[in-house]
Structures are given as structure tokens and as C-alpha cells.
């Protein structure tokens, strides 16, 4: 199982770009990298997923270097509503991944 | 429905009581998952259904926990003889196809269980 390491917490001012890096040194060939966001009193919500290189959607970008041993979730111009916990998942099935404690992002006005 | 729904949203039980938590997944979704989330922690996998078949129950913490999805849609998580350590938020998630991290999971709002 690929173990992930991500910062426990981060602070950012509104309008800044936020980058959250997740380390996964023992990622396997068929593993995907997936990020979820969770607000208080809600279930997690899918943000973005990738396998290699760069993926971008309307919410975020995901950067994955060639060795795939880490990945960076990039949130452009964060607002107060982006305050949440962000989870990095690495694996091939949800049965075998762990959410961990995630990264608690606090956006400051 | 528009998303995954769970009921009740909140449940208070006295220690030793049995509880049943319901999950209504998105219609047509093949996969259904149950997770347990303790305060300040991420969701932890409990069990997985593909249609009506329970393919993985390795995360259920004890034999007091039981889950079913008899017709491949609605699922119920039952906890017998509740203990204080069972207090947590129980999340249900569904996805369109069989389990793969390549498939997006859609989570319900959870049921917060408090055992007194």
C-alpha cells in the first residue's frame, strides 16, 4: 500500500495560490493520485485526479513529476470558502487506500 | 435523487442499544462504501458492496457491525450493542462502476452517532 505524507495544516491569505504537496515514495505502477476536499459536517468531495504529468480542471491543478513519488495540488486564488481539509489518496481501489488526517487549509481574510 | 442521502443525520443511543443507519446511493451506482470518521481523523474504510454483494468487510471493527444491501440499492449499517467507542460520523459513498480509484466517489452527509 502506498503511504502518503502531507502537511497537517496550512494557512493562506485570500487571493493567493495554494500548493499542497503529498509524498508517496512507494507508489505502484497502477496507482492513481486523487484529491478530496471536506468541509465540516459534510462528506468528502472529489476535486481532481491524475496518473502522471499535469491535470487541470475548473477547480484545481494537479502536478505529478515523472517519478510520481510526489504530487502537488494547486488551488488558484483561494477564497474563504476554500477553508477545508484536503486529502491525498494514492492507490488503485478505495478498499485499499487510507484518507489519513489530511491537510487542514485555513484561508485568512 | 440528486446525491447520496443518509438517515438519520444524528443519532443518540444509550450504550448497549442497537442502531441502524440508512444510505440511499445515487440511482444506478454499482459500488457502495461505508466509512467511519472519528473526530479530527479522515474517513476509515469499513465495507464495500458491488451491487448486492458485499465484497469486502475487512474494515468492520467487530462482529457487532453488520451491513447489507439486499437489492443492490439502499444499504443499512447496523451496530449491535453500541459502545462509546462507536461514537463517530458514519459516511456512505457510492460510485458508478466497480471499485477503482479511477472512479469518483460521491459521499453522503453522514450520520453522527453519539453513544452515551
Amino acid at each position: 500500500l502506498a503511504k502518503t505524507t502531507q502537511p497537517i495544516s496550512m494557512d493562506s491569505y485570500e487571493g493567493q495560490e495554494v500548493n499542497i504537496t503529498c509524498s508517496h515514495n512507494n507508489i505502484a505502477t497502477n496507482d492513481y493520485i486523487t484529491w478530496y476536499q471536506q468541509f465540516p459536517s459534510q462528506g468528502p468531495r472529489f476535486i481532481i485526479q491524475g496518473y502522471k504529468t499535469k491535470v487541470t480542471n475548473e477547480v484545481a491543478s494537479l502536478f505529478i513529476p515523472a517519478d510520481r513519488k510526489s504530487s502537488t495540488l494547486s488551488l488558484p486564488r483561494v477564497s474563504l470558502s476554500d477553508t477545508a481539509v484536503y486529502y491525498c489518496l494514492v492507490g488503485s481501489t478505495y478498499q485499499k487506500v487510507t484518507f489519513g488526517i489530511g491537510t487542514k487549509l485555513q484561508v485568512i481574510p | 435523487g440528486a446525491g447520496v442521502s443518509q438517515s438519520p443525520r444524528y443519532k443518540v443511543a444509550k450504550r448497549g442499544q442497537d442502531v441502524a443507519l440508512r444510505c440511499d446511493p445515487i440511482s444506478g451506482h454499482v459500488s457502495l462504501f461505508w466509512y467511519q470518521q472519528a473526530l479530527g481523523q479522515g474517513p476509515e474504510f469499513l465495507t464495500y458492496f458491488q451491487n448486492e454483494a458485499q465484497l469486502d468487510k475487512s474494515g468492520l471493527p467487530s462482529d457487532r457491525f453488520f451491513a447489507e444491501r439486499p437489492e443492490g440499492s439502499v444499504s443499512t449499517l447496523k451496530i449491535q450493542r453500541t459502545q462509546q467507542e462507536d461514537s463517530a460520523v458514519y459516511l456512505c459513498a457510492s460510485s458508478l462502476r466497480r471499485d477503482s480509484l479511477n472512479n469518483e466517489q460521491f459521499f453522503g452527509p453522514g450520520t453522527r452517532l453519539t453513544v452515551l
Side-chain angles (χ1 to χ4, degrees), chain B residues 8-105:
Chain B
R9 289 294 314 278
Y10 303 91
K11 177 69 179 178
V12 178
K14 292 183 179 178
R15 188 164 57 93
Q17 279 186 330
D18 298 349
V19 298
L21 312 180
R22 177 186 169 107
C23 172
D24 285 80
I26 294 173
S27 177
H29 277 198
V30 165
S31 293
L32 186 144
F33 304 80
W34 283 98
Y35 293 88
Q36 181 189 60
Q37 186 170 24
L39 190 63
Q41 304 295 314
E44 293 195 1
F45 171 81
L46 292 178
T47 188
Y48 162 60
F49 289 86
Q50 186 179 116
N51 296 308
E52 69 281 0
Q54 188 176 22
L55 298 187
D56 187 343
K57 52 182 181 179
S58 62
L60 296 177
S62 77
D63 58 8
R64 296 186 295 104
F65 287 70
F66 172 76
E68 60 183 5
R69 193 187 185 197
E71 297 178 358
S73 54
V74 172
S75 177
T76 304
L77 176 66
K78 298 178 180 178
I79 309 173
Q80 297 177 323
R81 305 181 302 282
T82 53
Q83 304 294 316
Q84 285 188 325
E85 62 262 28
D86 300 334
S87 295
V89 174
Y90 291 86
L91 293 163
C92 174
S94 69
S95 64
L96 183 59
R97 297 180 293 275
R98 65 180 185 178
D99 184 23
S100 166
L101 215 75
N102 193 30
N103 301 330
E104 177 180 350
Q105 280 195 335

Side-chain angles (χ1 to χ4, degrees), chain A residues 2-3 5 7 11 16 20 23-24 49 71-72 75-76 79 81 87 93 96 100-101 109:
Chain A
K3 176 179 166 56
T5 302
D11 291 338
Q16 289 189 329
I20 306 175
S23 298
H24 29 82
Q49 180 184 80
S71 57
T72 299
L75 305 172
S79 65
S81 62
Y87 298 99
T93 70
K96 299 194 188 317
I101 61 173

Side-chain angles (χ1 to χ4, degrees), chain A residues 10-61:
Chain A
M10 295 180 70
D11 291 338
S12 176
Y13 287 102
E14 271 192 297
Q16 289 189 329
E17 177 184 77
V18 171
N19 296 309
I20 306 175
T21 296
C22 180
S23 298
H24 29 82
N25 290 319
N26 60 340
I27 187 169
T29 302
N30 58 344
D31 286 349
Y32 292 93
I33 300 161
T34 308
W35 287 80
Y36 278 80
Q37 173 192 56
Q38 186 175 26
F39 298 112
S41 301
Q42 295 185 26
R45 185 182 72 161
F46 175 91
I47 301 176
I48 197 166
Q49 180 184 80
Y51 183 80
K52 61 181 179 180
T53 64
K54 177 183 173 182
V55 180
T56 297
N57 61 22
E58 65 278 6
V59 176
S61 295

